């Protein structure tokens, strides 16, 4: 029945001023029982709603809060019952015409699932003039229970006191209010066991938060719903029975309700609870389509019948092709900063990535803005977005919200766009920009930078770390501690100082010493083998240091491909060139599996190390495809390293027991995986206890595991790893004179190129120079590798400058 049809009937429309009071509830329930049409109003002079709904008379109820006990028998007729106005998220008020059968179906389905009895005494923590609160009141009254309306709104202290006195046994609230209560769970304590029924409103709530709810209220039947005014309680999730990933969902459709997804991922709803008519600016409009489906503006996914809410379709932030839902991001951010309200996130224009993140903060959030930015960056990274320069923080006195308390993100985004001039992409010219900024662009092969960028956020790795560290130290005279986490803007503010002594990372010293001994061994100068195994352990530490942040967030492809590209590209160039020269092609070398075929094969340099390193990196990264392992690594990275060490030991001993690989010198990933894991352990050993345990493992396990190889391994292999690992654990930096530090840094930065090219240089010196002097060969191998590395850096710098110049020409042409 339409509004005009009801106008011509004997049914009158009663405008009821909306108050969170027992008087309001009694008035609207009485209206329903008398078959009048109830129209909640914002106030007595709410002419927009009065005129739109053609209200006959207006009633202002009493404002008492507190307890209410009132029976109510829902009607199942298809006559109009309520015209409920909602402003939605776009700020345009619209009336939703709900019938008695719409309302009754919801109560029947909800009470049946929650097994509500007349013993219920519920604290309703949301206003009863909104769909959620009104539904709770109907559900309680229909079974003859009692409800309590707090006079001053949702109050965890009041809830705790009432539970301890045995006055309430049920609670209902929206997720934002539950977060306030969970943050003050000490006010509830053991009294949480007295709660028998809980309903959670239709907003995003994380699995961790739901698990906290289950722990705080272990005896309660806890149900979360997803729905909207037009289709209340569409899906229902029984938290008390749900486990694992199901807790991330908002439940499933039951009864007559159906849910499906449109082609663009929007949630569509059909069922007896769906309203049929909108009233917009006095005009009626159908709600369902021709097939009876209500197409919402909410995004979702369906897995095994469970609906996963993905946010509003018009709110999703598309940052560089990765889509982030602001509600879920806000939840993550609140967890990190320890607040439960006071900010909102929406999209903003970004010249590079299309859309970025606008964080609007009210005075309720007093955290330092730099800390807030770090927290936002960390939260976005957990969604797979590494874009610190796409974040903007603004301060507002209050957030724009609808009458139902929903943040108007579109209005916030429009306001920001009007206030902020369109940003332009800035091309970095190393000759024009600050020294540090140009160094970042040149060595990381980037065109665009923002002041908030850091080495980590820009995807830096161990190969570029040493090079940038050298640039910074050359410019500043020292290397700031933790510089890889400092923004470019922070680095630019540092004052240069010239010192006779400055610290150098032990990691760099060990890399330099190890590669020197590897070259000297191959040149015949000395025999102290095993340096390559220390480099393998250091590679594990560097993966933990530079790529772990991305790995634990499930972003495996980009960081691993970037790392492997730096390793494999020069390897393939040399290998292919050597094979073309020799006219002898070996696919096992080109496809990096020669260590499984012939350990003696060479591409003028020993290829086994690169093959094993790439294979182990890929195997180690595969562990992070499993979400439970990622979560374990994120929460307990050191313990995760111990677990991978156990996996490595089992692989070495188990596979080795059935497959003797002595003829391959045991240079296989399953035999050496444990060394890589030891590097991860070393990197994340932060406490004294962790360092002590890690040291004990080094001294106890390494000598045993190296001797348990089927191939002959010298005791020096263990010496390299035990001593090197111990130094990394306990002496991370060493102060040395500047004139010594610079050469060590250069060798450390060029380590990989020295390894790839030293045999070529030794061969040239031996054949062209007709000398077999081991000192000459060693020097040629070291300095030749450094020369190649320096040449590569020069070419990269030239190309970076050329791109910047071309970009500036293009920008000028535009």
């Amino acid at each position: 029945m339409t509004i005009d049809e009801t106008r011509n009937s004997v049914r009158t429309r009663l405008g009821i001023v909306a108050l969170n009071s027992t008087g309001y509830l009694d008035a609207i329930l009485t209206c329903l029982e008398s078959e009048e049409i109830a129209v909640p109003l914002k106030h007595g002079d709410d002419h927009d709603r009065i005129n739109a709904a053609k209200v006959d008379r207006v009633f202002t109820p009493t404002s008492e809060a507190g307890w209410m006990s009132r029976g109510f028998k829902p009607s199942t007729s298809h006559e109009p019952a309520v015209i409920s106005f909602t402003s939605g998220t776009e700020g345009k008020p619209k009336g939703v015409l709900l019938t008695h059968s719409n309302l009754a179906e919801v109560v029947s389905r909800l009470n049946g699932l929650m097994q509500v009895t007349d013993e219920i005494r519920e604290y309703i923590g949301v206003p009863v003039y909104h769909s959620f609160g009104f539904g709770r009141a109907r559900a309680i009254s229909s079974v003859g229970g009692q409800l309590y309306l707090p006079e001053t709104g949702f109050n965890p202290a009041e809830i705790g006191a009432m539970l301890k006195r045995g006055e309430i046994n049920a609670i209902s609230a929206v997720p934002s209010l539950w977060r306030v209560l969970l943050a003050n769970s000490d006010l509830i304590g053991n009294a949480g066991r007295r709660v028998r029924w809980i309903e959670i409103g239709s907003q995003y709530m994380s699995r961790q938060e739901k698990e906290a709810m289950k722990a705080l209220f272990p005896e309660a039947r806890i149900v979360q719903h997803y729905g909207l005014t037009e289709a209340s309680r569409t899906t229902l999730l029984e938290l008390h029975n749900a486990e694992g990933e199901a807790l991330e969902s908002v439940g499933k459709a039951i009864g007559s309700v159906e849910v499906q997804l449109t082609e663009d991922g929007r949630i569509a709803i059909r069922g007896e609870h769906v309203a049929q008519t909108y009233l917009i600016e006095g005009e009626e409009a159908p709600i369902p389509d021709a097939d009876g489906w209500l197409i919402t503006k909410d995004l979702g996914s369906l897995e095994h019948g469970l609906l996963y809410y993905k946010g509003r379709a018009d709110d999703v932030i598309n940052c560089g092709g990765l889509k982030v839902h602001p509600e879920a991001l806000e939840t993550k951010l609140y967890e990190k900063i320890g607040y439960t309200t006071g900010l909102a996130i929406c999209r903003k224009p970004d010249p590079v990535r299309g859309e970025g993140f606008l964080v609007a903060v009210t005075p309720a959030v007093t955290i330092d803005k730099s800390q807030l930015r770090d927290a936002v960056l960390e939260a976005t990274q957990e969604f797979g977005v590494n874009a610190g320069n796409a974040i903007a923080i603004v301060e507002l006195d209050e957030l724009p919200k609808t009458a139902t308390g929903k943040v108007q993100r579109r209005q916030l985004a429009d306001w920001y766009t009007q206030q902020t001039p369109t940003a332009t992409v800035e091309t970095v010219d190393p000759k024009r920009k600050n020294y540090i900024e140009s160094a970042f662009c040149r060595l990381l092969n980037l065109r665009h930078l923002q002041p908030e960028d850091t080495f980590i956020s820009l995807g830096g790795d161990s190969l570029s770390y040493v090079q940038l560290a050298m640039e910074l130290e050359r410019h500043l005279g020292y290397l700031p501690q933790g510089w890889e986490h400092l923004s470019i803007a922070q680095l630019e503010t540092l004052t240069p100082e010239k010192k006779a002594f400055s610290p150098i990372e032990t990691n760099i010293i060990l890399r330099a010493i190890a590669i020197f001994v590897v070259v000297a061994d191959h040149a015949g100068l000395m025999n102290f083998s095993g340096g390559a195994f220390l480099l393998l352990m250091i590679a594990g530490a560097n993966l933990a240091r530079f790529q772990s942040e991305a790995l634990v967030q499930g972003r495996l492809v980009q960081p691993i491909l970037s790392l492997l590209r730096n390793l494999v590209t020069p390897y393939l160039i040399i290998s292919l060139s050597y094979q073309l020269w020799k006219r002898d092609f070996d696919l096992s070398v080109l496809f990096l599996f020669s260590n499984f075929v012939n350990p003696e094969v060479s591409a003028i340099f020993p290829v086994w190390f690169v093959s094993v390193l790439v294979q182990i990196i890929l195997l180690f990264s595969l562990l992070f495809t499993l979400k439970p392992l990622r979560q374990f690594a994120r929460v307990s990275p050191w313990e995760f390293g111990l677990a991978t060490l156990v996996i490595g030991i089992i692989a070495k001993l188990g596979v080795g027991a059935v497959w003797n690989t002595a003829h391959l010198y045991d240079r296989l990933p399953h035999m050496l995986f444990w060394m890589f894991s030891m590097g991860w352990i070393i990197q994340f050993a932060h406490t004294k206890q962790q360092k002590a345990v890690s040291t004990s493992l080094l001294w106890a396990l390494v000598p045993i595991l190296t001797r348990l190889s089927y191939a002959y391994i010298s005791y020096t292999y263990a010496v390299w790893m035990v001593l090197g690992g111990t130094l990394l654990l306990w002496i991370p930096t060493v102060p040395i004179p500047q004139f010594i530090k610079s050469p060590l840094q250069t060798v450390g930065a060029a380590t990989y190129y020295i390894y790839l090219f030293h045999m070529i240089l030794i061969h040239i010196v031996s054949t062209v120079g007709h000398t077999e002097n081991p000192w000459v060969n060693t020097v040629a191998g070291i300095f030749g590798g450094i020369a190649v590395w320096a040449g590569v850096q020069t070419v990269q710098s030239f190309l970076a400058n050329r791109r910047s110049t071309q970009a500036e020409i293009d920008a000028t042409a535009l």
Side-chain angles (χ1 to χ4, degrees):
M1 183 175 290
T2 68
I3 295 297
D4 289 333
E5 289 172 336
T6 61
R7 181 67 180 167
N8 296 326
S9 70
V10 295
R11 297 166 61 82
T12 58
R13 286 153 298 284
L14 176 63
I16 306 174
V17 176
L19 300 173
N20 191 39
S21 69
T22 57
Y24 171 80
L25 275 180
D26 183 66
I28 195 168
L29 293 177
T30 300
C31 185
L32 297 182
E33 290 170 335
S34 63
E35 297 190 349
E36 290 184 294
I37 301 174
V39 184
L41 306 174
K42 291 190 293 185
H43 46 74
D45 296 325
D46 188 354
H47 297 296
D48 290 339
R49 298 187 183 189
I50 291 172
N51 294 332
K54 301 178 181 178
V55 169
D56 293 301
R57 58 192 178 92
V58 174
F59 175 74
T60 301
T62 58
S63 59
E64 296 92 347
W67 284 102
M68 178 179 181
S69 178
R70 184 194 190 285
F72 171 69
K73 184 178 180 180
S75 169
T76 58
S77 77
H78 295 286
E79 299 292 330
V82 176
I83 300 174
S84 180
F85 281 85
T86 171
S87 60
T89 57
E90 299 178 6
K92 295 180 179 180
K94 57 185 176 183
V96 179
L97 180 60
L98 295 163
T99 66
H100 286 280
S101 60
N102 292 149
L103 302 178
E105 194 279 339
V106 170
V107 169
S108 174
R109 190 159 38 87
L110 182 62
N111 280 357
L113 185 68
M114 296 186 70
Q115 300 179 18
V116 177
T117 71
D118 60 2
E119 297 176 346
I120 189 169
R121 299 187 302 278
E122 181 163 316
Y123 185 105
I124 301 181
V126 291
V128 292
Y129 48 80
H130 292 322
S131 176
F132 180 21
F134 182 42
R136 289 310 309 157
R138 299 196 318 274
I140 296 164
S141 299
S142 67
V143 297
Q146 300 178 57
L147 58 89
Y148 177 83
L149 306 183
E151 185 174 356
T152 57
F154 186 84
N155 186 335
E158 183 180 40
I159 292 173
M162 295 181 77
L163 282 174
K164 292 170 185 176
R165 293 194 297 265
E167 295 175 354
I168 58 174
N169 59 15
I171 312 169
S172 54
V174 293
S176 57
L177 295 177
W178 283 117
R179 293 185 187 106
V180 175
L181 186 141
L182 290 174
N184 297 275
S185 58
D186 57 308
L187 297 174
I188 307 299
N190 292 330
R193 292 185 172 275
R194 296 186 175 183
V195 178
R196 296 173 57 187
W197 296 282
I198 286 176
E199 187 178 7
I200 301 173
S202 183
Q203 293 174 6
Y204 174 77
M205 198 172 190
S206 70
R207 169 183 171 179
Q208 290 77 12
E209 291 170 328
K210 293 175 185 178
E211 288 173 340
M213 289 283 294
K214 293 172 65 175
L216 187 58
F217 304 106
E219 305 298 327
R221 298 186 67 83
I222 308 175
V223 171
Q224 182 189 22
H225 72 256
Y226 161 76
L228 46 163
T229 303
E230 299 89 327
S232 180
R233 276 83 170 181
T234 289
T235 60
L236 300 169
L237 173 68
E238 296 180 272
L239 266 70
H240 51 283
N241 291 331
E243 298 290 343
E245 282 301 305
L247 287 171
E248 281 286 343
S249 77
V250 289
K252 59 184 178 181
I254 62 175
S256 68
V257 178
E258 297 176 77
V259 173
Q260 68 177 18
L261 301 177
T262 63
E263 291 184 358
D264 58 352
R266 292 203 278 177
I267 300 170
I269 305 166
R270 184 165 66 181
E272 296 177 10
H273 69 310
V274 177
Q276 299 298 303
T277 306
Y278 278 135
L279 188 64
I280 304 174
E281 297 179 354
E283 299 294 328
E284 296 180 24
I287 293 177
D289 63 14
D291 296 320
W293 289 100
L294 161 60
I295 311 299
T296 74
K297 292 186 177 180
D298 294 331
L299 296 172
S301 64
L302 282 169
E303 298 178 24
H304 308 294
L306 294 173
L307 177 66
Y308 291 79
Y309 175 68
K310 301 297 184 180
R312 297 281 296 179
D314 47 5
D315 288 336
V316 172
I317 303 168
N318 189 337
C319 186
L322 297 173
K323 296 179 180 179
V324 179
H325 306 287
E327 286 186 3
L329 182 57
E330 285 172 8
T331 300
K332 290 283 187 187
L333 183 57
Y334 280 134
E335 291 175 359
K336 295 181 181 300
I337 65 177
Y339 286 79
T340 57
T341 186
L343 59 79
I345 299 175
C346 67
R347 65 165 65 96
K348 76 172 186 70
D350 185 82
V352 177
R353 297 175 175 87
E355 292 178 352
F357 305 93
L358 175 65
V359 184
V361 187
T362 68
V365 177
T366 59
I367 185 174
D368 179 76
K369 295 304 177 289
S370 62
Q371 292 178 297
L372 178 60
R373 179 177 293 278
D374 290 342
V376 176
L377 176 60
E378 186 178 345
T380 57
Q381 288 172 338
E382 292 183 16
F383 285 92
V385 179
N386 199 11
N389 55 1
I391 298 169
I393 298 176
V394 296
E395 297 179 352
L396 299 176
D397 292 334
E398 60 182 1
L399 301 172
K401 294 183 178 181
T402 67
T404 58
K406 296 180 181 178
V407 175
Q408 294 180 300
R409 302 183 198 276
R410 180 178 296 182
Q411 180 178 329
L412 187 59
D414 291 344
W415 168 83
Y416 178 79
T417 303
Q418 294 170 4
Q419 297 294 317
T420 308
T422 302
T424 56
V425 176
E426 184 176 11
T427 303
V428 179
D429 182 353
K431 297 179 180 179
R432 175 171 53 85
K433 287 294 181 182
N434 292 331
Y435 182 88
I436 291 176
E437 186 176 1
S438 63
F440 268 72
C441 286
R442 184 175 71 257
L443 296 176
L444 295 181
N445 196 24
L446 298 172
R447 298 187 187 186
H448 315 296
L449 289 178
Q450 294 291 339
E452 300 84 6
D453 286 332
T454 68
F455 178 79
I456 295 294
S457 72
L458 291 171
D461 56 28
S462 60
L463 297 176
S464 54
Y465 175 83
V466 179
Q467 300 171 49
L468 258 174
M470 293 170 62
E471 291 281 351
L472 288 175
E473 189 153 11
R474 186 178 296 114
H475 177 64
L476 295 172
Y478 63 96
L479 189 64
Q481 185 175 5
W483 68 267
E484 65 268 28
H485 296 285
L486 298 178
S487 68
I488 293 174
Q490 291 172 317
L491 291 171
E492 293 283 10
T493 63
L494 298 177
T495 304
E497 299 177 9
K498 299 301 179 182
K499 299 178 180 179
F501 285 78
S502 64
I504 184 174
E505 291 188 15
T506 304
N507 180 308
I508 297 174
I509 296 177
L510 291 175
R511 285 170 64 175
I513 294 174
I515 194 60
F516 175 82
V517 176
V518 167
V519 175
D521 183 30
H522 292 160
L525 181 63
M526 64 174 66
N527 181 14
F528 198 75
S529 55
F533 293 95
L534 173 61
L535 291 175
L536 186 62
M537 189 167 68
I538 290 175
N542 286 334
L543 183 84
R545 182 177 185 180
F546 300 112
Q547 274 77 41
S548 62
E549 192 173 271
L551 292 175
V552 299
Q553 295 160 14
R555 295 186 291 110
L556 311 183
V557 178
Q558 188 276 328
I560 296 304
L561 282 183
S562 176
L563 178 60
L564 294 181
R565 183 172 61 248
N566 290 332
L567 290 172
V568 174
T569 301
Y571 166 90
L572 289 178
I573 291 173
I574 301 172
S575 300
L576 187 57
S577 299
Y578 179 74
Q579 292 186 11
L580 286 171
W581 177 59
K582 297 285 289 183
R583 296 183 180 180
D584 182 15
F585 293 94
D586 189 335
L587 293 180
S588 70
V589 172
L590 297 178
F591 288 96
L592 293 112
F593 64 89
S594 61
N595 56 317
F596 283 89
V597 179
N598 180 7
E600 300 291 351
V601 71
S602 176
I604 204 63
F605 67 93
V607 300
W608 73 267
F609 178 78
V610 180
S611 299
V612 169
L613 178 58
V614 170
Q615 292 160 10
I616 291 178
I617 288 174
L618 290 173
L619 286 174
F620 201 90
S621 302
L622 282 177
L623 297 175
F624 294 90
T625 60
L626 302 175
K627 190 172 182 179
L629 290 182
R630 292 203 304 270
Q631 293 174 337
F632 178 35
R634 183 176 67 249
V635 176
S636 306
W638 183 74
E639 289 81 358
F640 173 81
L642 294 179
T644 63
L645 176 62
V646 172
I647 293 172
I649 293 173
I650 292 173
K652 177 181 175 65
L653 300 181
V655 178
V658 296
W659 181 23
N660 188 332
T661 55
H663 65 290
L664 300 174
Y665 303 139
D666 293 339
R667 294 169 177 171
L668 297 170
H670 67 278
M671 299 296 287
L672 305 178
F673 187 91
W674 65 273
M675 297 181 186
F676 196 84
S677 296
M678 192 66 74
W680 181 287
I681 292 171
I682 289 170
Q683 177 60 33
F684 283 112
H686 298 313
T687 68
K688 288 184 178 180
Q689 182 180 8
Q690 290 173 341
K691 290 182 178 181
V693 172
S694 301
T695 304
S696 299
L697 289 174
L698 277 170
W699 287 81
L701 291 179
V702 171
I704 296 173
L705 292 174
T706 52
R707 299 304 296 174
L708 286 178
S709 295
Y710 292 88
Y712 171 75
I713 293 182
S714 170
Y715 76 94
T716 58
Y717 287 45
V719 172
W720 276 105
M721 286 183 284
V722 169
L723 294 182
T726 304
L727 288 172
L728 289 171
L729 280 166
W730 296 101
I731 311 176
T733 60
V734 178
I736 62 174
Q738 287 288 359
F739 71 91
I740 298 176
K741 182 176 181 177
S742 183
L744 282 174
Q745 284 182 318
T746 301
V747 175
T751 296
Y752 188 59
Y753 282 88
I754 293 172
Y755 181 83
L756 293 180
F757 283 90
H758 74 279
M759 292 294 289
I760 297 176
L761 275 301
I762 291 174
H763 177 73
I764 292 174
V765 169
S766 299
T767 56
V768 177
H770 303 290
T771 177
E772 296 294 337
N773 187 301
W775 276 107
V776 174
N777 289 341
T778 300
V779 171
I782 296 292
F783 283 93
I786 292 174
V788 174
W789 167 77
V792 171
Q793 305 310 307
T794 300
V795 171
Q796 290 180 344
S797 178
F798 169 77
L799 294 176
N801 290 340
R802 185 175 180 178
R803 282 194 302 268
S804 295
T805 302
Q806 185 61 48
E808 187 168 334
I809 293 172
D810 294 342
T812 303
L814 293 174

